[in-house]
């Protein structure tokens, strides 16, 4: 007779140490031994089953795939009679123990003692006999008596289903395949969350995988997982692990040093039969993308965890060491950990609880907790928070002065002259100064808009700031063309609606660009966080403004557009200088060369210093200060330069140069500005 018991074996909640045995399940009964018999332990379905015959007591439990064709046979004591036996199952260390009378058997403990399955029963007929006084109990359950029967079957719950090494390898292969697929355009932040959920499932599998040996490493491609089994001792010791050397990557290898206090903490919280440490080596940042698109060293993320234990506030830090090539001088490594967003959005990197020790070819991360760790590559480390504050003060004061000077110059130009040959140039200057005024004002309020609670207001502010920048660059190019036209062409040449056409280009082209970008995706404008490295405390803070949120659009549109304007104005400057030298062979018109050169510098050439921001060291710092001072004061410098030219034009003309060229008379020089 077969009794089917639907027993849900509870998952491990805490099992006694070696000094005290606590089981998750036990089964006890009386067996009449009427002849010489044995214990047979072999593979069975996902359950524990007990079958009694006159010839043998047969116990079945799931075996790893490599051992399913093997079984174990143990001899029972020869005296006949009734024996009390109990079977104890421990989920913590995956052991099945049999106490038969006064004998104790650790079933399956000796791998070398296995024999081919079925050999022990060849030529032997089995006679079923009943087991009496049967009782069983699962962990946290109560002792339950059962009727006599010859066979008992205890199916496992899904939570206690055994996990084999083959199952882990298959899950790793599926995860690698998902990570290798190109991201879907509409997936957004959902796809990394799906991958991280798969990674969480892998951690659960590693927590209960059946291991043949003490330690085991899985995976061959992007994700590698290592399970370390640590037996508890009276005096816990630290645990060290070193990865294999990797060729061709930024990170050659890494080492993990777990302090003894980690296992002391785990022992104080729960008594366990063994500690299980999980290490995961992830060679891809695909599932760890934050909103700032931060770059981590070698795209390597290392996960360290202790099964069934949340580790935080350790007295001794966990030390994770990354070995790598010498890093560029314009970046500084910062040890960070991944923090999930409770709202379900993309997570973020944080450095709380971690300190960074930087060497020439290694970086030590000392953290007081366990999670996913990486080394964040923070740009511009030589710009400390002190210089950042100085540059911010210069920028705000310069923009305020520049905006006021631009307005004053616009009013002065409007009432300065009404001659037709001067009106076009003056209106071009006024439009450039108007664009500079808009750029200064929108930049001054951008950070305040970013701190507001309305994303719509910030998107509008970012769009208008982008429009002001593109307008400023466009009118710089128009200024270069106008100056070239005044020198090369005849002054009195007249073009129908010339100023209207220039205005359509100067304001229409930027408007078309920002409108197109906004229509493609309204999320292209909004709050934009810039990670800023602070040398004090080794922390990374964010400076947020309303700006273009897409780095691709910023690089292609802004830097690309400025490069075209800079190249165009440089060519115009060269043509003007060549024409001046051609008309002034005696060299008495050097002041005109300096005037045109100065105007071209103020109308865009200093912006080229932005390209030196990709350099490093003192040269980069100096170029940033020069760039900030000149360009934040651009409107004010134009104001000063204009009045310098006006005062110079009022001086008596040089008699030696009066016959050189009508185009380059002092009065004409004044007309170049207005």
């Amino acid at each position: 007779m077969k009794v089917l018991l639907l027993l849900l074996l509870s998952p491990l909640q805490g099992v006694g140490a070696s000094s005290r045995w606590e089981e998750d399940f036990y089964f006890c009964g009386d067996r009449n031994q009427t002849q010489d018999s044995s214990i047979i332990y072999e593979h069975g379905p996902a359950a524990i089953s007990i079958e009694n015959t006159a010839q043998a007591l047969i116990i079945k439990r799931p075996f790893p795939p490599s051992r399913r064709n093997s079984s174990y046979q143990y001899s029972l004591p020869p005296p006949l009679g009734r024996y009390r036996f109990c079977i104890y199952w421990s989920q913590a260390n995956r052991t099945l123990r049999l106490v038969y009378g006064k004998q104790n058997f650790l079933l399956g403990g000796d791998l070398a003692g296995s024999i081919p399955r079925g050999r022990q029963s060849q030529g032997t007929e089995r006679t079923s006999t009943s087991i009496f006084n049967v009782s069983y109990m699962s962990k946290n359950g109560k002792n339950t008596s059962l009727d006599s029967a010859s066979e008992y079957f205890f199916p496992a719950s899904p939570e206690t289903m055994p996990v084999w090494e083959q199952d882990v390898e298959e899950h790793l292969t599926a995860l690698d395949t998902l990570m290798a697929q190109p991201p879907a355009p509409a997936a957004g932040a959902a796809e990394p969350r799906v991958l991280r959920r798969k990674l969480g499932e892998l951690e659960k599998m590693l927590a209960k995988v059946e291991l043949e040996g003490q330690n085991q490493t899985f995976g061959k491609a992007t994700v590698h997982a290592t399970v370390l089994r640590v037996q508890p001792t009276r005096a816990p010791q630290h645990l060290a692990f070193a990865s294999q050397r990797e060729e061709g990557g930024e990170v050659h290898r890494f080492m993990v040093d777990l302090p003894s206090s980690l296992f002391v903490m785990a022992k104080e919280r729960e008594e366990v039969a063994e500690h299980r440490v999980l290490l995961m080596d992830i060679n891809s940042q695909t599932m760890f993308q934050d909103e700032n698109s931060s770059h981590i060293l070698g795209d390597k993320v290392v996960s360290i965890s202790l099964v069934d234990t949340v580790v935080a506030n350790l007295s001794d830090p966990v030390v994770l060491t990354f070995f790598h090539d010498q890093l560029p001088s314009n970046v500084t490594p910062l040890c960070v950990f991944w923090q999930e967003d409770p709202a379900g959005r993309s997570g973020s990197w944080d450095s709380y609880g971690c300190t960074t020790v930087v060497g020439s070819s290694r970086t030590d991360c000392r953290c007081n907790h366990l999670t996913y760790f990486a080394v964040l590559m923070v740009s511009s480390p030589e710009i400390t928070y002190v210089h950042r504050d100085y540059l911010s003060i210069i920028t705000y004061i310069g923009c305020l002065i520049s905006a006021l000077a631009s307005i004053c110059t616009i009013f002065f130009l409007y009432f300065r002259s009404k001659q037709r040959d001067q009106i076009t140039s003056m209106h071009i200057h006024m439009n450039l100064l108007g664009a500079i005024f808009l750029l200064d004002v929108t930049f001054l309020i951008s950070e305040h808009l970013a701190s507001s609670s309305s994303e719509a207001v910030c998107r509008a502010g970012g769009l208008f700031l982008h429009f002001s920048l593109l307008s400023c660059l466009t009118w710089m190019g128009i200024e270069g063309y106008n100056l070239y036209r005044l020198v090369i062409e005849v002054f009195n040449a007249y073009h129908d609606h010339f100023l209207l056409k220039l205005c359509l280009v100067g304001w229409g082209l930027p408007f078309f660009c920002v409108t197109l970008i906004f229509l493609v995706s309204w999320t292209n404008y909004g709050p934009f966080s810039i990670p800023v490295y602070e040398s004090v405390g080794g922390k990374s803070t964010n400076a947020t403004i309303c700006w273009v949120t897409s780095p691709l659009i910023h690089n292609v549109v802004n830097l690309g557009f400025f490069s075209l304007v800079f190249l165009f104005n440089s060519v115009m400057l060269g043509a003007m200088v060549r024409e001046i030298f051609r008309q002034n062979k005696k060299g008495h018109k050097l002041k005109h060369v300096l005037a045109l050169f100065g105007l071209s510098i103020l109308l865009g050439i200093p912006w080229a210093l932005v390209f030196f921001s990709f350099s490093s060291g003192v040269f980069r710092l100096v170029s940033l200060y020069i760039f900030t001072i000149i360009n934040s004061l651009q409107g004010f410098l134009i104001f000063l330069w204009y009045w310098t030219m006006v005062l110079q034009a009022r001086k008596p003309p040089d008699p030696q140069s009066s016959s050189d060229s009508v185009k380059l008379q002092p009065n004409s020089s004044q007309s170049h500005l207005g």
Side-chain angles (χ1 to χ4, degrees):
M1 174 177 145
K2 182 176 180 179
V3 178
L4 179 63
L5 302 174
L6 300 178
L7 174 65
L8 300 180
L9 300 179
S10 302
L12 176 63
Q13 299 293 329
V15 181
S18 58
S19 60
R20 182 169 59 93
W21 185 276
E22 285 189 6
E23 52 282 330
D24 293 273
F25 165 81
Y26 77 77
F27 174 93
C28 293
D30 293 344
R31 178 176 183 268
N32 283 328
Q33 185 172 321
T34 58
Q35 63 183 66
D36 290 342
S37 59
S38 61
I39 301 293
I40 297 177
Y41 179 50
E42 61 186 14
H43 170 71
I48 295 176
S49 64
I50 301 98
E51 180 185 358
N52 185 40
T53 66
Q55 294 77 23
L57 178 63
I58 304 169
I59 302 172
K60 296 181 180 181
R61 182 187 165 270
F63 280 11
S66 60
R67 295 166 52 194
R68 289 177 181 174
N69 293 325
S70 301
S71 64
Y72 299 83
Q73 186 170 0
Y74 305 91
S75 298
L76 291 176
L80 305 181
R82 175 172 288 197
Y83 286 85
R84 184 70 176 175
F85 72 91
C86 290
I87 300 171
Y88 301 94
W89 163 249
S90 173
Q91 179 88 3
N93 48 15
R94 281 74 172 172
T95 56
L96 195 65
R97 186 169 63 102
L98 170 66
V99 177
Y100 192 92
K102 296 181 178 180
Q103 287 189 297
N104 196 320
F105 301 93
L106 182 61
L107 302 181
D110 183 11
L111 299 180
S114 62
I115 59 176
R117 187 176 181 182
R119 179 182 295 181
Q120 76 280 352
S121 60
Q122 289 180 357
T124 303
E125 293 184 1
R126 294 176 178 173
T127 304
S128 297
T129 59
S130 297
I131 302 175
F132 306 96
N133 299 326
V134 177
S135 65
Y136 79 93
M137 185 175 71
S138 61
K139 188 172 180 65
N140 299 326
K142 63 179 182 178
N143 189 29
T144 304
S145 300
L146 300 175
D147 295 335
S148 298
S150 61
E151 186 175 1
Y152 299 87
F153 178 71
F154 301 92
S157 66
E159 293 79 9
T160 58
M161 288 284 288
V163 177
W164 311 112
E165 296 178 7
Q166 183 180 357
D167 300 329
V168 175
E169 292 288 359
E170 291 176 354
H171 190 91
L172 276 169
T173 302
L175 183 60
D176 287 338
T177 302
L178 286 176
M179 295 177 67
Q181 294 177 354
E191 187 168 355
R193 287 200 301 270
V194 172
L195 292 174
R196 291 198 297 271
R197 186 167 63 248
K198 292 288 184 182
L199 199 62
E201 296 173 0
L202 175 62
E203 287 186 353
K204 293 179 181 179
M205 296 179 68
L206 293 172
K208 61 179 185 178
V209 62
E210 303 278 351
L211 299 178
E212 294 286 352
Q214 190 72 8
N215 305 322
Q216 184 67 36
T217 299
F218 305 91
K220 299 179 181 179
T222 307
V223 181
H224 298 81
T226 301
V227 181
L228 306 177
R229 300 172 66 182
V230 183
Q231 301 301 325
T233 58
R234 292 186 177 181
Q237 298 179 349
H238 77 95
L239 175 66
F241 172 81
S243 68
Q244 296 182 349
R245 182 173 178 83
E246 302 176 21
E247 301 295 340
E250 289 185 81
V251 178
H252 303 314
R253 61 190 180 95
F254 67 90
M255 291 181 59
V256 177
D257 193 342
L258 302 177
S260 57
S261 59
L262 169 64
F263 303 106
V264 172
M265 173 182 290
K267 183 178 180 181
E268 290 175 350
R269 293 181 177 179
E270 291 185 293
E271 291 188 352
V272 294
E274 72 172 16
H275 302 294
R276 183 170 285 209
V277 179
L278 307 182
L279 299 175
M280 283 197 286
D281 177 11
I282 306 169
N283 294 302
S284 174
Q285 198 183 344
T286 304
M287 63 182 79
F288 299 100
Q289 291 286 353
D290 60 2
E291 294 180 351
N292 298 327
S293 299
S294 302
H295 172 62
I296 62 176
L297 179 64
D299 283 345
K300 182 176 287 294
V301 179
V302 177
S303 168
I304 311 173
S305 60
L306 191 63
V307 172
D308 293 332
T309 305
V310 177
V311 179
N313 301 319
L314 287 171
S315 57
D316 300 316
V318 174
V319 182
L320 175 59
T321 303
F322 293 89
F323 296 90
H324 49 76
D325 293 330
Q326 187 171 0
L327 300 176
S329 57
N330 62 334
V331 295
T332 288
L334 180 66
C335 295
V336 292
F337 69 94
W338 183 256
Q339 190 171 27
E340 288 288 352
D341 188 347
R345 296 177 296 182
S346 175
S348 60
W349 292 107
D350 195 351
S351 60
Y352 180 78
C354 293
T355 58
T356 307
V357 181
V358 182
S360 59
S361 58
R362 59 181 285 176
T363 300
D364 293 342
C365 298
R366 303 175 182 271
C367 302
N368 63 1
H369 56 282
L370 297 182
T371 182
Y372 293 92
F373 297 103
V375 176
L376 189 67
M377 305 304 289
V378 183
S379 302
S380 309
E382 49 288 87
I383 308 301
T384 63
Y385 74 103
V386 176
H387 291 295
R388 183 200 66 189
D389 291 342
Y390 289 160
L391 291 170
S392 298
I393 293 172
I394 293 172
T395 301
Y396 281 111
I397 295 177
C399 287
L400 183 60
I401 296 174
S402 176
L404 295 176
S406 298
I407 290 295
C408 293
T409 310
I410 289 174
F411 279 105
F412 184 82
L413 288 174
Y414 180 77
F415 297 105
R416 181 74 178 94
S417 177
K418 298 298 182 180
Q419 300 178 20
R420 193 186 68 176
D421 61 344
Q422 297 179 1
I423 289 178
T424 300
S425 295
M426 274 195 273
H427 279 82
I428 292 175
H429 303 330
M430 292 166 64
N431 278 278
L432 172 62
L433 290 167
I436 293 175
F437 174 79
L438 292 179
L439 180 61
D440 291 335
V441 172
T442 51
F443 180 80
L444 287 172
I445 66 174
S446 177
E447 190 170 357
H448 300 286
L449 293 179
S451 61
S452 66
S453 58
S454 175
E455 279 198 16
V457 172
C458 188
R459 295 188 195 282
L463 184 146
F464 199 68
L465 178 60
H466 194 206
F467 168 77
S468 301
L469 175 65
L470 295 181
S471 299
C472 190
L473 294 176
T474 306
W475 282 106
M476 286 179 187
I478 293 175
E479 278 283 7
Y481 167 72
N482 185 56
L483 291 174
Y484 167 79
R485 184 181 65 88
L486 293 177
V487 173
I488 302 301
E489 296 181 2
V490 179
F491 286 158
N492 294 326
Y494 179 74
H495 302 279
D496 292 335
H497 308 293
F498 181 64
L499 183 61
L500 178 61
K501 295 175 182 177
L502 293 180
C503 289
L504 289 176
V505 174
W507 301 108
L509 180 60
F511 180 80
F512 173 78
C513 290
V514 297
T515 303
L516 181 62
I517 294 172
F518 182 80
L519 292 178
V520 169
S521 176
W522 55 273
T523 59
N524 287 328
Y525 294 103
F528 180 74
S529 298
I530 306 172
V532 179
Y533 175 81
E534 295 189 2
S535 58
V536 177
K539 297 181 179 180
S540 177
T541 58
N542 288 334
T544 305
I545 64 172
C546 297
W547 183 232
V548 180
T549 58
S550 171
L552 178 63
I553 293 176
H554 171 71
N555 294 331
V556 173
V557 177
N558 297 341
L559 291 181
F561 190 59
F562 166 71
S563 300
L564 294 176
V565 172
F566 172 73
L567 180 62
F568 176 76
N569 277 359
S570 299
V571 173
M572 295 299 102
L573 175 63
M576 286 185 288
V577 171
R578 178 177 176 274
E579 183 66 19
I580 288 173
F581 275 105
R582 186 182 67 82
Q583 297 186 18
N584 295 271
K585 298 180 180 179
K586 297 180 181 180
H588 296 291
K589 300 298 181 180
L590 182 59
K591 59 181 180 180
H592 300 297
V593 178
L594 296 176
L596 294 176
F597 180 77
L599 182 61
S600 299
I601 291 289
L602 294 176
L603 298 187
I605 302 301
W607 286 61
L609 290 171
V610 71
F611 293 120
F612 293 111
S613 63
F614 300 104
S615 62
S616 60
V618 178
F619 179 75
R620 180 177 187 271
L621 184 61
V622 172
S623 64
L624 281 177
Y625 269 100
I626 297 174
F627 175 85
T628 303
I629 293 171
I630 293 179
N631 292 308
S632 62
L633 292 169
Q634 187 174 14
F636 178 69
L637 293 176
I638 292 177
F639 173 81
L640 292 180
W641 181 81
Y642 176 80
W643 279 103
T644 301
M645 295 301 297
V646 169
L647 294 176
Q648 186 178 6
R650 290 178 179 177
K651 294 180 181 180
D654 186 355
Q656 295 181 353
S657 60
S658 59
S659 61
D660 285 338
S661 174
V662 176
K663 291 184 181 181
L664 297 173
Q665 294 176 8
N667 290 334
S668 296
S669 177
Q670 180 183 346
S671 70
H672 294 173
L673 269 178

